[in-house]
Amino acid sequence: MMAVTSACKDGTKIAMDNGKYVRYTPEQVEALERLYHDCPKPSSMRRQQLIRECPILSNIEPKQIKVWFQNRRCREKQRKEASRLQAVNRKLTAMNKLLMEENDRLQKQVSQLVYENSYFRQQTQNTTLATTDTSCESVVTSGQHHLTPQHPPRDASPAGLLSIAEETLAEFLSKATGTAVEWVQMPGMKPGPDSIGIVAISHGCTGVAARACGLVGLEPTRVSPCQLDRMVAEILKDRPSWFRDCRAVDVINVLSTGSGGTIELLYMQLYAPTTLAPARDFWLLRYTSVLEDGSLVVCERSLNNTQNGPSMPVVQNFVRAEMLPSGYLIRPCEGGGSIIHVVDHMDLEPWSVPEVLRPLYESSPLLAQKTTMAALRHLRQISQEVSQPNATGWGRRPAALRALSQKLSKGFNEAVNGFTDEGWSMLESDGIDDVTLLVNSSPSKMMGVNISYANGFSSGSNSVLCAKASMLLQNVPPAILLRFLREHRSEWADSSIDAYSAAAIKAGPCSLPGARAGSFGGQVILPLAHTIEHEEFMEVIKLENMGHYRDDMIMPVDIFLLQLCSGVDENAVGTCAELVFAPIDASFSDDAPILPSGFRIIPLDSGMDSPSPNRTLDLASALEVGPTGNRASDDNAGNSGNRKSVMTIAFQFAFEMHLQESVAAMARQYVRSIIASVQRVALALSPSRLGSHTGLRPPPGTPEAQTLSTWICQSYRCYLGVELLKNEGTESILKSLWQHSDAILCCSLKAMPVFTFANQAGLDMLETTLVALQDITLEKIFDDNGRKTLCSEFPQIMQQGFMCLQGGICMSSMGRPVSYERAVAWKVLDEEENAHCICFMFINWSFV
């Protein structure tokens, strides 16, 4: 065997077993580096081919080249690890600085509160004495004047605008780094090197407010810190590119100040999140300036009559909201990157919406999730795209995939709002106002929809119909409901209408790069991208053998949907859950028109006590029946209370104008059937519904969970000679198995094994629920190498009874890679010692 020692940093030497070094020439290193760039781990055949193709390597043995590649991979791994540690160190340093500043701010706030408390205590004592001395009154008046300064008159002149801008700057800084607003930590947000930053929400102030501080780096940008800060500022100013609810921002006027700053007058429109409320607009002044310490500030506020500044007429179908001093403070960070302070403070005029929806406009956590944290996520996403610019899913670069997700979201928002200036007009109701129908025949809406394709279907679609509705949901977590809608499309969708929608815009059969072959029936075939912290993900799903009418015959068609899913984290507070999709075909390009449809679920409560993951499917607690009945019912009631959420549904259909009446009737009936399906599913998923059962409802064809858990543990002890659970009695076997730290999953003994049971860790690993678990096949979670290993070793499980697998990679149901240290598989025997199923245990698993 050949002994390998550490290679030189430049890769020009390699140690051999005789103690001598083989020195490579620069040309040889260049040739090896080229191959390493294309294939970091070449096979022996590829290495021999390299020697034949490169004469300059002819004097080197294949074993020597193998060792060179081993050392090169080792150096690359060390470089990446060093880079990662440096990045973590920078984040920790910046986070420490932010925490120290936050500590100073809190100390100042405490000092101010102590002073005010002492002052008002003295005032109370003086009032009690009831003296005739007027000096006390003068002091009180002076103090009140200091706490509530009066705004001096302003006008639309440059000097007047500058006065408003300077006042806005001072108020913004007092919120970003001072004590003007009482900030409390955002529920569920803990600062750390992997967090988005330090997030806080307001307590007891006018309107809703949120603040976030975080470190953002745009490496490897070779620019000065000042240029980097300006790049960050320009990104944040482009609000429609990262704020999904922002329809447009128009710059009306720009003025330069003598100090090098800029004053802009802006008109901004925000989409309404639901069909039950009007959209919002803002008339703003934005001030960009550089502070004495070199920090860059971008601050904004609404212009209103109290300032005597320039005015903007009210726009039809919009409610004029107010933005109180808000903005961004951008400071260079030692070691690279920028420290960003984001403050959003708004009065969204909740009086203008029905009372049940007012929590949407009075929720600071919702503002933090949708606006404040979205700004930091966008910056971190761009940073990731800069550092990893190569193409990923579907042959697209990360920036192109991000643009596609924004396109889907914007198209769905346009459908929900249906603005008349975009060509939408409302159709007459059929007497029941539960579903609203809009029609759009504008050329911009239909531009490019009638692209020809090769499957022979023809379409003359020249209009778009949108059917939309909103409904109130009670006591069902939005994330759980959305996951069910995503994983069980057949429970609510009509396959014939899916086929019609695809054919109407000519989204025919296609072959997608990287897609797995085979029948998936609505399953994910191509995960495209995750955003920062997996807040949302995009994927391509395949609907197989959808019936399409052609010449009075039903033709089978495979349909592909581009789908965007967000808000699936049950622990996130104030998160809006969305599932938006649109039919596509092989000719789909980044600028191709799409017709998004989908669902949006927004919680109406404050979310201060967010539910625990999979709480409605916690079998261990659901089966724990005591003298007073099912304990899960009380626990769930305590967690969820009487929570409410609003779901908005919008579906778009391309059609020919002469078919408007029939398509309208079809769309109205379809959306009504979806509403009925959602209500049925929501009732089944509600905690109160689950709590009404006194035992487990087993899946068809399997024993009860208590019996199955006993079989699992007995079979493990029989084949491996050790206990799976330590010191546990019979009554608590299911609970112990459910709470086991390793992922335990059972699959059937069919030709195509499917999962039938999983403990909590198993559900977390597969990112699914017990309801959806039986739709996941065993081979789906493994890659090609894993499937080959499984096929070759499966007979050993049946003969020997167990098998140990080396560590590797598997996939969750949402396409996320999961690494595990090792795995054990064993045959589960029933009471008659017949094979019942196969059980897998994935040890020390984690998301990659």
Side-chain angles (χ1 to χ4, degrees):
M1 293 295 292
M2 184 180 300
V4 180
T5 63
S6 298
C8 295
K9 291 184 179 181
D10 59 359
T12 60
K13 292 183 180 180
I14 184 169
M16 306 301 295
D17 56 354
N18 57 6
K20 297 181 180 179
Y21 286 94
V22 175
R23 183 179 295 275
Y24 292 94
T25 66
E27 292 79 10
Q28 290 173 333
V29 173
E30 183 180 355
L32 291 170
E33 288 286 351
R34 282 197 304 268
L35 178 59
Y36 180 84
H37 180 73
D38 297 334
C39 182
K41 195 173 183 180
S43 62
S44 59
M45 184 179 300
R46 184 70 182 93
R47 293 194 298 269
Q48 293 174 0
Q49 180 183 359
L50 175 66
I51 295 176
R52 292 193 301 268
E53 294 175 352
C54 300
I56 59 176
L57 300 177
S58 59
N59 63 331
I60 303 177
E61 293 292 332
K63 289 184 179 180
Q64 299 173 8
I65 294 180
K66 178 180 179 180
V67 174
W68 185 93
F69 274 94
Q70 289 176 345
N71 290 333
R72 182 64 177 82
R73 289 194 299 271
C74 182
R75 291 197 305 275
E76 181 69 15
K77 184 177 180 180
Q78 291 174 345
R79 184 191 65 79
K80 290 181 178 179
E81 180 64 13
S83 176
R84 186 188 69 82
L85 292 176
Q86 289 174 357
V88 171
N89 183 63
R90 287 197 303 270
K91 289 181 180 179
L92 290 174
T93 302
M95 191 66 65
N96 180 62
K97 184 177 181 180
L98 290 175
L99 290 174
M100 291 177 64
E101 292 177 352
E102 181 69 6
N103 184 58
D104 291 341
R105 186 191 69 81
L106 292 174
Q107 288 181 348
K108 292 178 181 178
Q109 187 173 7
V110 169
S111 299
Q112 180 178 344
L113 291 174
V114 170
Y115 171 78
E116 291 179 357
N117 181 59
S118 176
Y119 168 77
F120 285 114
R121 181 182 299 170
Q122 181 66 33
Q123 178 187 355
T124 302
Q125 292 175 353
N126 294 339
T127 304
T128 304
L129 294 176
T131 64
T132 58
D133 187 359
T134 59
S135 60
C136 179
E137 297 179 6
S138 64
V139 172
V140 174
T141 305
S142 175
Q144 290 177 339
H145 179 75
H146 175 72
L147 293 176
T148 57
Q150 298 297 318
H151 296 286
R154 302 287 185 260
D155 54 43
S157 66
L161 292 177
L162 179 60
S163 178
I164 298 175
E166 293 291 348
E167 184 180 89
T168 303
L169 173 62
E171 293 188 30
F172 161 70
L173 292 176
S174 68
K175 297 175 184 179
T177 61
T179 59
V181 172
E182 181 181 352
W183 300 109
V184 296
Q185 182 176 318
M186 175 82 168
M189 294 295 300
K190 296 181 179 180
D194 296 327
S195 67
I196 197 73
I198 302 174
V199 184
I201 56 177
S202 62
H203 176 70
C205 73
T206 302
V208 290
R211 186 186 68 173
C213 310
L215 173 67
V216 175
L218 297 180
E219 292 89 3
T221 53
R222 295 178 176 84
V223 297
S224 66
C226 180
Q227 291 175 317
L228 179 60
D229 289 349
R230 292 196 175 275
M231 289 173 56
V232 172
E234 292 304 317
I235 292 173
L236 293 173
K237 284 183 178 182
D238 186 14
R239 194 178 262 111
S241 69
W242 56 266
F243 184 24
R244 300 290 175 86
D245 285 354
C246 184
R247 185 192 184 202
V249 175
D250 294 331
V251 179
I252 307 301
N253 196 8
V254 180
L255 301 173
S256 298
T257 65
S259 58
T262 303
I263 297 176
E264 300 169 276
L265 300 182
L266 311 175
Y267 175 66
M268 180 174 69
Q269 292 180 343
L270 300 185
Y271 291 111
T274 173
T275 62
L276 302 176
R280 263 54 181 166
D281 66 352
F282 296 82
W283 172 232
L284 303 171
L285 178 144
R286 181 164 67 194
Y287 181 37
T288 305
S289 63
V290 179
L291 302 182
E292 293 181 357
D293 62 356
S295 301
L296 183 63
V297 177
V298 180
C299 55
E300 300 172 324
R301 80 173 308 155
S302 288
L303 293 171
N304 49 45
N305 295 332
T306 61
Q307 299 154 340
N308 295 326
S311 60
M312 167 66 72
V314 176
V315 180
Q316 187 179 6
N317 299 325
F318 285 87
V319 172
R320 182 64 48 84
E322 180 181 5
M323 179 181 292
L324 289 83
S326 307
Y328 318 102
L329 172 61
I330 308 167
R331 299 183 296 171
C333 179
E334 297 180 5
S338 301
I339 295 179
I340 317 293
H341 296 254
V342 183
V343 174
D344 289 298
H345 192 178
M346 300 181 183
D347 184 351
L348 297 173
E349 305 295 340
W351 59 266
S352 63
V353 301
E355 185 174 357
V356 69
L357 294 181
R358 289 181 185 176
L360 288 182
Y361 299 86
E362 298 172 338
S363 171
S364 291
L366 187 62
L367 177 71
Q369 285 282 1
K370 299 183 69 174
T371 310
T372 315
M373 295 169 62
L376 291 183
R377 289 195 193 102
H378 181 70
L379 289 172
R380 292 183 63 179
Q381 181 71 18
I382 292 179
S383 175
Q384 189 179 74
E385 293 169 3
V386 171
S387 60
Q388 300 175 358
N390 296 329
T392 55
W394 206 8
R396 258 79 166 176
R397 294 182 179 274
L401 293 177
R402 173 167 52 85
L404 278 178
S405 68
Q406 292 170 345
K407 190 173 184 178
L408 276 171
S409 182
K410 183 177 179 63
F412 182 70
N413 273 323
E414 290 177 351
V416 170
N417 285 262
F419 293 115
T420 56
D421 59 0
E422 291 179 351
W424 291 102
S425 59
M426 186 180 298
L427 296 183
E428 292 185 4
S429 171
D430 62 347
I432 306 176
D433 295 331
D434 57 339
V435 178
T436 302
L437 297 186
L438 302 175
V439 172
N440 194 329
S441 304
S442 63
S444 60
K445 187 70 176 176
M446 299 305 302
M447 186 177 299
V449 168
N450 296 314
I451 301 174
S452 62
Y453 59 106
N455 66 352
F457 297 122
S458 61
S459 173
S461 303
N462 52 19
S463 299
V464 175
L465 183 142
C466 175
K468 58 183 183 178
S470 292
M471 58 187 294
L472 186 67
L473 302 174
Q474 288 190 325
N475 212 22
V476 56
I480 292 180
L481 178 56
L482 191 86
R483 285 213 306 265
F484 187 92
L485 295 175
R486 172 185 174 267
E487 297 168 4
H488 295 269
R489 187 180 180 88
S490 60
E491 292 291 331
W492 56 267
D494 188 322
S495 59
S496 62
I497 294 182
D498 281 333
Y500 167 82
S501 300
I505 65 168
K506 303 188 175 181
C510 63
S511 177
L512 301 175
R516 300 192 298 272
S519 172
F520 291 90
Q523 299 300 315
V524 177
I525 65 168
L526 184 58
L528 294 182
H530 284 85
T531 62
I532 292 295
E533 298 183 349
H534 303 280
E535 293 295 334
E536 70 176 28
F537 58 89
M538 192 162 55
E539 59 197 4
V540 174
I541 65 173
K542 177 182 179 182
L543 309 178
E544 190 176 45
N545 295 330
M546 298 292 103
H548 176 77
Y549 285 95
R550 182 186 179 193
D551 298 332
D552 296 329
M553 298 178 61
I554 299 180
M555 307 291 292
V557 177
D558 293 341
I559 297 173
F560 294 87
L561 301 179
L562 180 63
Q563 183 164 272
L564 179 69
C565 187
S566 62
V568 294
D569 183 4
E570 297 170 51
N571 291 323
V573 177
T575 301
C576 169
E578 286 188 353
L579 182 67
V580 182
F581 45 85
I584 57 173
D585 63 9
S587 63
F588 183 76
S589 60
D590 294 345
D591 58 349
I594 56 177
L595 293 180
S597 303
F599 307 88
R600 172 181 292 152
I601 314 172
I602 311 176
L604 293 176
D605 55 81
S606 62
M608 299 299 284
D609 52 343
S610 57
S612 60
N614 293 300
R615 61 177 175 79
T616 62
L617 300 174
D618 189 341
L619 298 184
S621 60
L623 284 178
E624 219 166 66
V625 183
T628 58
N630 192 332
R631 244 171 46 184
S633 176
D634 295 334
D635 295 341
N636 287 332
N639 281 337
S640 61
N642 190 27
R643 290 189 170 177
K644 299 179 181 179
S645 57
V646 59
M647 169 181 274
T648 297
I649 305 171
F651 279 75
Q652 297 190 79
F653 307 91
F655 68 99
E656 300 176 45
M657 183 57 76
H658 68 277
L659 298 176
Q660 175 174 308
E661 186 175 345
S662 59
V663 173
M666 176 271 294
R668 184 179 279 114
Q669 180 180 357
Y670 184 43
V671 171
R672 284 173 178 165
S673 69
I674 292 175
I675 292 174
S677 299
V678 169
Q679 290 174 335
R680 183 180 67 253
V681 171
L683 180 62
L685 293 179
S686 65
S688 59
R689 178 80 172 180
L690 179 69
S692 64
H693 299 292
T694 59
L696 177 69
R697 298 175 63 185
T702 62
E704 294 185 355
Q706 184 69 49
T707 303
L708 177 60
S709 63
T710 302
W711 291 350
I712 291 172
C713 296
Q714 290 177 348
S715 300
Y716 186 87
R717 181 174 60 252
C718 174
Y719 288 116
L720 283 87
V722 294
E723 295 289 345
L724 177 60
L725 306 175
K726 305 298 182 183
N727 302 323
E728 297 292 345
T730 304
E731 294 298 324
S732 58
I733 286 180
L734 175 59
K735 181 178 179 180
S736 300
L737 192 70
W738 179 261
Q739 297 176 349
H740 200 284
S741 59
D742 296 321
I744 299 176
L745 305 102
C746 294
C747 67
S748 61
L749 294 174
K750 298 179 180 179
M752 182 69 71
V754 297
F755 290 107
T756 58
F757 174 80
N759 68 346
Q760 181 68 68
L763 296 178
D764 292 341
M765 187 185 80
L766 295 183
E767 294 188 294
T768 187
T769 63
L770 281 174
V771 179
L773 182 67
Q774 298 176 59
D775 292 336
I776 304 175
T777 61
L778 178 61
E779 69 169 12
K780 181 183 175 182
I781 72 170
F782 290 102
D783 56 13
D784 292 337
N785 292 332
R787 282 192 286 269
K788 291 178 182 178
T789 302
L790 190 63
C791 291
S792 62
E793 301 292 342
F794 200 82
Q796 179 183 344
I797 306 178
M798 302 306 297
Q799 296 175 6
Q800 182 176 314
F802 73 98
M803 177 183 66
C804 295
L805 300 173
Q806 296 180 351
I809 300 291
C810 62
M811 304 294 289
S812 75
S813 64
M814 295 187 179
R816 295 175 64 185
V818 180
S819 67
Y820 55 92
E821 185 177 294
R822 56 192 177 92
V824 180
W826 67 96
K827 183 168 55 177
V828 177
L829 303 178
D830 60 16
E831 294 175 350
E832 299 179 356
E833 296 190 353
N834 296 321
H836 174 73
C837 62
I838 300 294
C839 192
F840 289 84
M841 181 166 64
F842 296 87
I843 301 171
N844 293 337
W845 64 271
S846 62
F847 290 109
V848 178

